[in-house]
Amino acid sequence: MIRIGSSLRPVIKTTGMTLRAATFGLLAFVPALFVTEAAMANPTYQLLQFDDLEGWAEDDHQAALDVFLSTCDDMRDPAWGPICDVARQGQEARSFFERFFTPVMIDDGNDALFTGYFEPELRGSMNRGGPYQHPLYRKPLNAGQYSRREIEETNAYEGQGLEIVWIDDPVDVFFLQVQGSGRIQLDNGGGIRVGYGGANGREYSSVGLELVNRGIYNAHQVSADVIRNWVRNNGEEGRRLLWANDSYVFFREVNEVPAHMGPLGAMNRSVTTMRTVAIDPAFVPLGAPVWIEKDGAEPLNRLMVAQDTGSAIKGAQRADIFFGTGDDAGRDAGRIKDGGRMIVLMPLQSAYALLPDVIE
């Protein structure tokens, strides 16, 4: 391993756009990872060998290569163009990664944290009535004018034609805003898909942390299901708990995405179950392959692709794994809050451009 000096930022650029500015997964109810300014300014780098990656030989490299190719054309950095050209010509997957990439571990001084996110499924109607009383809004022109409480308490956007669909559960609306995208099963038997369409620009606050601060739960007791049940069982007080988070997310219809594919990520392409990871693009370029070594009750060693982002995903060793669609995926994602390490596969020229700062 080669230890690289910390005076340089990564030499690779980022691309794409953030479509999901809401926080993901467990970050709905635990504090966001704190990344110091000093760490952001002074990351360090280790160049590894593929033999250093635990479980590398046992992974399904072809599955990872297929996902990599789905967003490769969207990477604009010149270092990636030739690699994408070669990949499209058809390659034996493992040898392709080993031939054209170098594993690089980026360290900002903060512990690694892996969480999970998913695409929820909600019940809704295109018309308001019965249990369907809670709207998903398109982004208004004055999106930054109101807080969550002002929007919901005063019905600030009612009557402006901004409603996409009406949902039967306000808690589901809140968690859909946390996830940023989802599927709506309609009462007439049809369905629509929605994705992140903007936000009110207010700072996100964790409602789970609010429950801890109130002394209602200890931090280790808080989960998505705990929050859901507490809100539903506490009437107006439960509603006010959600108002502790001023951030409010608006949506757009994304029905052009085929039903068998995942929701759109930050590269405006469908993400892939257990192969897409959300990262901090300040450290990891969108579209890059990343090797995950997740600890915990269910360890995971797998090659994924950095195709998504999130406002709570901050730091060189911070990642959110996409677990898929529906309740089962949500339960699996909700159990993940683990350490480990994440290694970025960088093009050879980008990785070795760091070599002038090698520390003896």
Side-chain angles (χ1 to χ4, degrees), residues 71-291:
T71 48
C72 202
D73 287 338
D74 299 306
M75 304 181 74
R76 297 292 176 249
D77 190 293
W80 294 89
I83 292 176
C84 293
D85 290 340
V86 172
R88 283 190 292 269
Q89 294 171 12
Q91 300 288 319
E92 194 283 318
R94 178 180 171 183
S95 62
F96 165 75
F97 288 114
E98 293 178 351
R99 184 180 303 119
F100 293 101
F101 293 92
T102 295
V104 179
M105 183 170 176
I106 306 173
D107 185 2
D108 63 1
N110 294 280
D111 292 337
L113 176 61
F114 292 100
T115 50
Y117 72 102
F118 72 109
E119 182 186 35
E121 291 183 314
L122 288 72
R123 296 177 300 275
S125 175
M126 300 304 294
N127 301 298
R128 186 176 190 177
Y132 304 107
Q133 298 292 326
H134 310 284
L136 301 185
Y137 286 121
R138 298 178 183 87
K139 185 179 180 180
L141 294 177
N142 60 342
Q145 183 172 349
Y146 301 112
S147 67
R148 173 180 298 276
R149 177 172 183 166
E150 291 166 337
I151 292 170
E152 295 182 352
E153 190 172 34
T154 68
N155 298 315
Y157 296 120
E158 187 172 344
Q160 298 183 32
L162 296 171
E163 297 88 354
I164 298 174
V165 65
W166 299 88
I167 305 301
D168 65 347
D169 189 333
V171 183
D172 283 346
V173 172
F174 179 85
F175 277 93
L176 179 66
Q177 292 181 328
V178 170
Q179 297 297 327
S181 63
R183 305 187 193 209
I184 316 300
Q185 301 300 320
L186 298 175
D187 58 343
N188 64 6
I192 65 172
R193 209 168 193 169
V194 295
Y196 177 79
N200 63 348
R202 303 297 180 93
E203 185 176 353
Y204 178 88
S205 298
S206 165
V207 297
L209 182 59
E210 179 67 17
L211 286 173
V212 174
N213 289 339
R214 293 182 187 183
I216 298 172
Y217 293 105
N218 294 320
H220 71 276
Q221 297 175 306
V222 179
S223 68
D225 286 341
V226 166
I227 293 174
R228 288 178 187 275
N229 291 334
W230 196 91
V231 171
R232 288 168 175 160
N233 293 334
N234 285 274
E236 184 64 21
E237 189 177 1
R239 183 186 185 198
R240 290 177 180 274
L241 172 71
L242 300 183
W243 289 346
N245 176 26
D246 278 342
S247 176
Y248 192 92
V249 170
F250 304 100
F251 294 93
R252 62 188 180 95
E253 289 193 58
V254 287
N255 295 323
E256 69 275 13
V257 179
H260 70 280
M261 298 181 70
L264 299 181
M267 300 185 77
N268 208 25
R269 305 293 183 199
S270 289
V271 296
T272 301
T273 300
M274 299 306 293
R275 288 288 173 180
T276 290
V277 65
I279 48 75
D280 183 348
F283 295 95
V284 180
L286 278 164
V290 292
W291 178 253

Side-chain angles (χ1 to χ4, degrees), residues 12-36:
I12 40 185
K13 298 178 183 178
T14 61
T15 184
M17 59 184 293
T18 300
L19 294 180
R20 297 197 312 159
T23 53
F24 303 121
L26 287 173
L27 271 292
F29 45 87
V30 299
L33 180 67
F34 178 70
V35 179
T36 66

Side-chain angles (χ1 to χ4, degrees), residues 53-59 61 291 293 301:
L53 309 185
E54 183 177 353
W56 170 259
E58 289 73 46
D59 194 25
H61 302 88
W291 178 253
E293 294 179 7
N301 299 323

Side-chain angles (χ1 to χ4, degrees), residues 323-352:
F323 273 76
T325 298
D327 292 342
D328 289 343
R331 281 188 288 270
D332 291 341
R335 290 196 294 264
I336 304 302
K337 185 186 174 187
D338 298 322
R341 67 174 184 169
M342 178 172 63
I343 294 106
V344 183
L345 302 194
M346 291 174 56
L348 296 175
Q349 68 185 76
S350 297
Y352 284 95

